Amino acid sequence: MNDNHLHARVFRTSDEWYADVDDELDPQPDNPLWWGWYTSQQAALQAACNHLATLEQAS
């Protein structure tokens, strides 16, 4: 476990899915550590998991 305390959130607006990775001090989607938009919930979830895994390997 690392000390980043990151949180992944997947949400939908209109027909787009978003993946958002925030830290606990700034949980707002307006200033995410990382985000992307996807055509499906599964794609957004996979992208968030991949990004968190990358951050874990870097720490």
Side-chain angles (χ1 to χ4, degrees), residues 10-12 16-19 38-47:
V10 171
F11 55 97
R12 181 180 156 184
E16 295 178 323
W17 285 92
Y18 292 83
Y38 304 90
T39 57
S40 72
Q41 182 183 31
Q42 182 61 38
L45 285 169
Q46 187 62 53

Side-chain angles (χ1 to χ4, degrees), residues 4-53:
N4 291 330
H5 303 288
L6 299 174
H7 305 272
R9 176 178 38 212
V10 171
F11 55 97
R12 181 180 156 184
T13 60
S14 247
D15 0 335
E16 295 178 323
W17 285 92
Y18 292 83
D20 182 24
V21 177
D22 294 314
D23 65 33
E24 60 190 10
L25 299 176
D26 185 15
Q28 301 300 316
D30 63 340
N31 189 19
L33 176 64
W34 172 85
W35 65 276
W37 59 93
Y38 304 90
T39 57
S40 72
Q41 182 183 31
Q42 182 61 38
L45 285 169
Q46 187 62 53
C49 290
N50 290 345
H51 188 70
L52 289 172

